[in-house]
Amino acid sequence: MLSVESLQMNLSSYSSILGRRMVKCEWNLKFSVSPWLFSSKKSTTSIAASANSSELNGASISVAGAESSSSIPLCRDSTISGSMEQVMVEYVFGRKKATEVAHYVWKHVVQKGDAVVDATCGNGYDTLALLKLVADKTQRGRVYGMDVQKIALESTSSLLDQFASPDEKELVELFVMSHSQMEDIVPNDVSVRLVAFNLGYLPGGDKKIITRSETTVLALEAAKRILAPGGLISIVTYVGHPGGREEFEKIEEFALRLPVEGWNCCKLHTLNRPLAPMLLFLFKR
């Protein structure tokens, strides 16, 4: 087990190179993001990790348990605990992006042969990452990808042509449609392990075409219905464009309404970069 005191010591060892950056990561932990990451606890533990620079050549880092002083239930005997710590430390230091953290978490939720949904394909990087996680020789895995823009799916297909084998590409189904319609493309007998959202506008595309809070909430409701127990809804959302802040607030409202008995919801946000992407994980028990 990794205690709060141990995490504080580990983070403090990096304080001399942190510089003038302040990051706050908040977890409301009752059950794990995946079965490999955290063990369940009877009561919710809120952990806040913050870093700030108050000296010219250094920084101070603190870790506090808001509701409990018990250990953070990371499993030391897990094969991923050390790597997960490293990824989070690099995120704190600004060396990992929110999308990179998301991709890393996916690796410990998705298994070979699973069915997953890329609700917003964009240029295809999430689609490709998901494909590599589910593909194996059994050819049982599936990636259901969608985007409202045909040009986005063309970019996704082109990326898959470059970096996926013909057998892997057979596992991907792409649809020009809204993410709110995902239930129309996922068969009723398919158990979905992960639904990924990367919201906002298409990078390199028309910035006036964006995801909207109304349809995104409908998409989250659909994802909640098709997600299997032990599955994850992964959301990267942006607040720097018109409509982005409202969309994030609606997503947060949705997450706050999920019952703690059945869901664990986490948010990561860089405090002194108010327009930085927001990363949210909604884990279904």
Side-chain angles (χ1 to χ4, degrees), residues 168-200:
E168 288 175 332
K169 285 190 62 180
E170 290 183 6
L171 307 181
V172 181
E173 299 181 37
L174 300 177
F175 302 86
V176 181
M177 62 193 310
S178 169
H179 52 358
S180 63
Q181 299 173 284
M182 67 178 70
E183 287 175 293
D184 294 341
I185 63 173
V186 178
N188 293 331
D189 60 345
V190 171
S191 182
V192 174
R193 179 70 64 180
L194 187 143
V195 181
F197 294 85
N198 197 330
L199 302 171

Side-chain angles (χ1 to χ4, degrees), residues 102-113:
H103 285 191
Y104 187 86
V105 172
W106 298 354
K107 294 179 181 180
H108 307 292
V109 177
V110 179
Q111 302 175 32
K112 298 297 184 184

Side-chain angles (χ1 to χ4, degrees), residues 51-261:
N52 62 77
S53 176
S54 58
E55 301 177 5
L56 290 177
N57 298 316
S60 61
I61 302 177
S62 63
V63 179
E67 298 178 34
S68 171
S69 60
S70 60
S71 299
I72 302 172
L74 281 173
C75 301
R76 276 293 188 185
D77 56 352
S78 166
T79 58
I80 65 113
S81 62
S83 298
M84 192 66 201
E85 291 171 24
Q86 181 64 29
V87 168
M88 289 309 303
V89 167
E90 291 190 11
Y91 176 77
V92 168
F93 292 167
R95 295 199 291 261
K96 289 290 185 186
K97 298 186 295 185
T99 50
E100 293 176 294
V101 175
H103 285 191
Y104 187 86
V105 172
W106 298 354
K107 294 179 181 180
H108 307 292
V109 177
V110 179
Q111 302 175 32
K112 298 297 184 184
D114 278 342
V116 296
V117 174
D118 185 351
T120 51
C121 286
N123 287 319
Y125 295 104
D126 289 347
T127 312
L128 178 62
L130 291 169
L131 175 59
K132 294 299 183 179
L133 293 178
V134 304
D136 64 1
K137 293 181 180 180
T138 69
Q139 293 292 98
R140 291 184 297 108
R142 286 293 181 274
V143 179
Y144 301 95
M146 65 197 72
D147 203 289
V148 294
Q149 297 187 70
K150 184 178 180 181
I151 188 174
L153 296 186
E154 290 173 351
S155 295
T156 297
S157 183
S158 176
L159 188 72
L160 296 177
D161 286 340
Q162 295 178 63
F163 297 105
S165 70
D167 286 344
E168 288 175 332
K169 285 190 62 180
E170 290 183 6
L171 307 181
V172 181
E173 299 181 37
L174 300 177
F175 302 86
V176 181
M177 62 193 310
S178 169
H179 52 358
S180 63
Q181 299 173 284
M182 67 178 70
E183 287 175 293
D184 294 341
I185 63 173
V186 178
N188 293 331
D189 60 345
V190 171
S191 182
V192 174
R193 179 70 64 180
L194 187 143
V195 181
F197 294 85
N198 197 330
L199 302 171
Y201 54 81
L202 175 67
D206 187 348
K207 294 184 179 181
K208 295 180 181 179
I209 303 176
I210 60 173
T211 53
R212 304 284 181 178
S213 58
E214 298 84 359
T215 51
T216 294
V217 170
L218 292 175
L220 289 171
E221 293 285 359
K224 182 177 70 172
R225 289 189 290 267
I226 67 174
L227 196 69
L232 184 71
I233 300 174
S234 172
I235 309 163
V236 180
T237 184
Y238 306 84
V239 297
H241 63 277
R245 174 67 62 178
E246 177 190 359
E247 186 174 43
F248 162 69
E249 291 173 352
K250 293 296 184 182
I251 293 169
E252 195 170 45
E253 289 175 10
F254 172 87
L256 289 170
R257 291 195 302 268
L258 294 174
V260 70
E261 295 80 10

